[in-house]
Amino acid sequence: MTTEGAPAEAQALLAALGVPAERLVGGPATRTPITGETLAEPRLADAPALDAAIGRASAAFENWREVPAPRRGELVRLFGEELRRSKAELGRLVTLEAGKIVSEGLGEVQEMIDVCDFAVGLSRQLYGLTIATERPDHRMMETWRPLGVVGVISAFNFPVAVWAWNAALALVCGNAVVWKPSEKTPLTALATQALFERAAAEFGDAPDGLSSVALGGRDLGERLVDDARVALVSATGSTAMGRAVGPRVAARFGRSLLELGGNNAAIVRPSADLDLTLRAVAFSAMGTAGQRCTTLRRLFVHGEVYDSLLPRLRQAYASVAIGDPREPGVLVGPLIDGDAFSAMGRALERARLAGATVSGGERVEGPGGAEAFYVRPALVEIAEHAGPALEETFAPILYVLRCDDLDEAIALNNAVPQGLASAIFTNDLREAERFLSARGSDCGIVNVNIGPSGAEIGGAFGGEKETGGGRESGSDSWKAYMRRATNTVNYGATLPLAQGVRFDID
Ligand code: NAD
């Protein structure tokens, strides 16, 4: 495909994906981080438009909850088919709008397809337990019921997959969905909605407003969060956002699912396969230009292997291909914007002042001149686990520390509040099992001999600790989108009462 003319290409992709041209004018500019050019100016939703969308979703829920779950799965299956047909176009739009390399843009759409498949199977497996009851001639069981309207707030760095993790499950569980995507990535959201509408048309009788998109910024997100008709708010983004959203939803006794930031670590032990470790570390730390919630940001290396690993890692950092994410061979595309570049610069400056040795971190020329922000990933060797190493800076910075003692390395892994993903590189079974055990890593994702970044949709994903503990996607995450009822049926002729209780009833 061409590497020229991002705006024209985006317009062509949006048309092919079924986004009406009139939705793409009248609002603020959406720029591609690749060149800084404006791709479109999609119109934003105002408060009455959001109010109407939630109203339509509430009405749709009344109908949808009565549709048998496997039939609800059929809608999600059809949506998965639409995604398969349009994978190339939607993946390419992800690249243009979020700046991801081509394979990652396509990979994100593949995740959407995978979670649709998962949800279709799930639509026949929303099982409840039958529980042994202590009362004679009684049966006790659990049933799972949909919640109502699910509000999804998503981050720029997974502009479409995060919504799909939520929506595919929410829909088979019998809920309606209102989506407020990141203000930085509205176009891929409109395209996803257009594909959903194609699937709904083929399905035939999906209620109007079952799934909708409301474009806007933080203000609109706050309105969604505060609306009592929204039973579950699933919000993905920074820890700062989660701190604001969590208490607001709790104040109205709503339910929230928070998927927040990650300051992820890996431990390298003397027995590690260093070739494998090097590849895993380089990819996890530099891929997606450090803009993944699971990006590797801290590395604790045993002294016995430090001097063999670090020179090779420095070489990988110095030679990695940085530039236009549409070009083959490029691993590191642009940062999302100038603010991300400034935040990276500030973190590196603090590290330097604290005595760290910094290699990389400088701005690199890309295809877009002053309006696009390309950087060489930074390797920061530190003597003390402190300062910016304790924070998530959403950019490619890897802090490296020598650490010999495994218990100390595990303690450092666990010493940040954002415990999302973690890894150990070792061929020592005892070390691996210790890291996986109750006294090991306290993160939501705990890996052995594989980097922390990325996750499969089959597992529950999201985080623990300060990240809100939200788990989306696979495993039994579906339970977050439903409420549990315990049902007891008395099929006998007597009503067991507490000992000594009597009624005089004629
Ligand atoms: P962000 O927090 O700036 O914005 C995320 C979304 O929240 C946007 O849609 C934004 O409009 C909205 N928002 C912000 N403040 C809000 C408020 N007070 N009320 C309601 N909505 C509000 O995050 P970002 O820069 O778009 O994304 C990067 C962050 O997301 C990183 O911290 C990354 O680790 C995290 N992330 C986490 C996961 C996960 O699954 N744990 C996945 C992807 C990204």
Side-chain angles (χ1 to χ4, degrees):
M1 287 208 201
T2 175
T3 56
E4 299 293 327
E9 193 189 355
Q11 293 286 341
L13 289 168
L14 286 159
L17 288 160
V19 179
E22 63 270 18
R23 291 225 53 183
L24 299 170
V25 290
T30 297
R31 296 178 193 284
T32 172
I34 301 174
T35 59
E37 291 166 284
T38 297
L39 297 179
E41 296 176 341
R43 214 178 36 254
L44 303 186
D46 55 13
L50 178 68
D51 184 60
I54 298 172
R56 277 198 309 279
S58 303
F61 166 66
E62 305 276 316
N63 167 307
W64 192 240
R65 66 183 171 180
E66 293 195 48
V67 174
R71 172 100 181 111
R72 300 193 298 243
E74 172 63 6
L75 173 59
V76 173
R77 191 189 69 77
L78 290 169
F79 177 56
E81 290 299 304
E82 290 298 336
L83 288 168
R84 280 184 172 85
R85 273 192 279 279
S86 297
K87 179 176 170 181
E89 290 80 6
L90 186 56
R92 182 74 175 180
L93 194 60
V94 169
T95 291
L96 293 181
E97 192 176 40
K100 291 188 170 193
I101 60 173
V102 172
S103 59
E104 287 188 64
L106 292 172
E108 186 159 346
V109 183
Q110 187 59 46
E111 263 192 36
M112 302 172 83
I113 294 168
D114 293 344
V115 79
C116 285
D117 285 357
F118 180 90
V120 173
L122 182 66
S123 71
R124 293 178 184 271
Q125 299 175 78
L126 301 172
Y127 301 136
L129 297 170
T130 297
I131 299 161
T133 162
E134 63 197 38
R135 291 163 286 190
D137 294 342
H138 280 59
R139 184 164 66 85
M140 189 158 70
M141 62 184 176
E142 285 176 349
T143 44
W144 290 88
R145 302 295 176 212
L147 290 175
V149 177
V150 173
V152 178
I153 296 174
S154 57
F156 81 83
N157 67 317
F158 274 98
V160 284
V162 163
W163 172 82
W165 299 340
N166 283 283
L169 264 58
L171 289 168
V172 297
C173 289
N175 303 292
V177 179
V178 177
W179 180 16
K180 206 250 11 117
S182 165
E183 50 275 55
K184 293 172 188 168
T185 52
L187 304 180
T188 40
L190 290 177
T192 300
Q193 175 67 16
L195 294 180
F196 180 81
E197 282 167 16
R198 278 185 193 163
E202 199 176 339
F203 182 77
D205 56 354
D208 176 51
L210 182 62
S211 177
S212 60
V213 174
L215 300 185
R218 179 189 170 135
D219 291 0
L220 202 74
E222 286 172 349
R223 283 192 168 273
L224 186 70
V225 163
D226 288 340
D227 196 307
R229 293 170 295 175
V230 178
L232 168 68
V233 176
S234 177
T236 301
S238 58
T239 304
M241 179 277 286
R243 278 221 180 80
V245 167
R248 285 176 91 125
V249 180
R252 61 173 176 85
F253 288 129
R255 199 189 277 193
S256 61
L257 189 52
L258 301 176
E259 308 278 7
L260 308 177
N263 186 3
N264 314 296
I267 296 171
V268 185
R269 302 299 296 166
S271 66
D273 174 336
L274 289 190
D275 290 338
L276 179 149
T277 304
L278 182 70
R279 281 197 301 279
V281 166
F283 181 77
S284 308
M286 295 193 282
T288 329
Q291 299 169 114
R292 275 180 179 234
C293 49
T294 50
T295 290
L296 176 61
R297 306 190 187 280
R298 299 173 297 139
L299 189 65
F300 307 120
V301 185
H302 193 283
E304 274 180 36
V305 288
Y306 194 95
D307 292 329
S308 354
L309 184 68
L310 260 287
R312 295 176 70 193
L313 198 54
R314 280 187 218 109
Q315 199 185 351
Y317 268 67
S319 61
V320 68
I322 305 160
D324 191 325
R326 295 167 293 184
E327 295 286 355
V330 167
L331 175 67
V332 180
L335 293 177
I336 190 72
D337 55 23
D339 288 348
F341 176 67
S342 307
M344 180 172 178
R346 283 195 301 274
L348 293 179
E349 193 47 36
R350 282 171 64 201
R352 274 192 200 95
L353 287 173
T357 308
V358 178
S359 46
E362 69 275 11
R363 197 161 171 189
V364 173
E365 204 171 326
E371 296 308 313
F373 295 85
Y374 293 83
V375 286
R376 180 160 299 284
L379 202 54
V380 181
E381 290 172 69
I382 51 175
E384 219 186 313
H385 189 241
L390 304 182
E391 296 157 19
E392 181 201 49
T393 302
F394 216 52
I397 303 176
L398 180 63
Y399 299 95
V400 188
L401 189 86
R402 240 176 241 268
C403 184
D404 289 355
D405 182 67
L406 179 58
D407 285 332
E408 191 189 336
I410 292 174
L412 292 175
N413 175 78
N414 295 349
V416 298
Q418 320 87 351
L420 182 57
S422 59
I424 190 168
F425 292 91
T426 180
N427 279 327
D428 181 324
L429 180 71
R430 288 180 180 161
E431 289 181 350
E433 290 292 337
R434 180 128 54 106
F435 190 64
L436 297 173
S437 77
R439 64 185 168 114
S441 166
D442 63 0
C443 296
I445 294 174
V446 188
N447 292 341
V448 176
N449 291 335
I450 174 174
S453 86
E456 277 185 48
I457 64 92
F461 178 74
E464 301 293 346
K465 288 168 77 177
E466 197 188 42
T467 58
R471 306 295 273 178
E472 287 172 359
S473 199
S475 185
D476 65 350
S477 302
W478 60 271
K479 291 179 178 172
Y481 302 83
M482 303 197 89
R483 63 183 172 80
R484 180 195 332 234
T486 303
N487 316 131
T488 308
V489 178
N490 175 3
Y491 57 88
T494 55
L495 192 65
L497 294 172
Q499 226 177 359
V501 175
R502 288 175 53 106
F503 287 112
D504 291 324
I505 302 172
D506 289 333

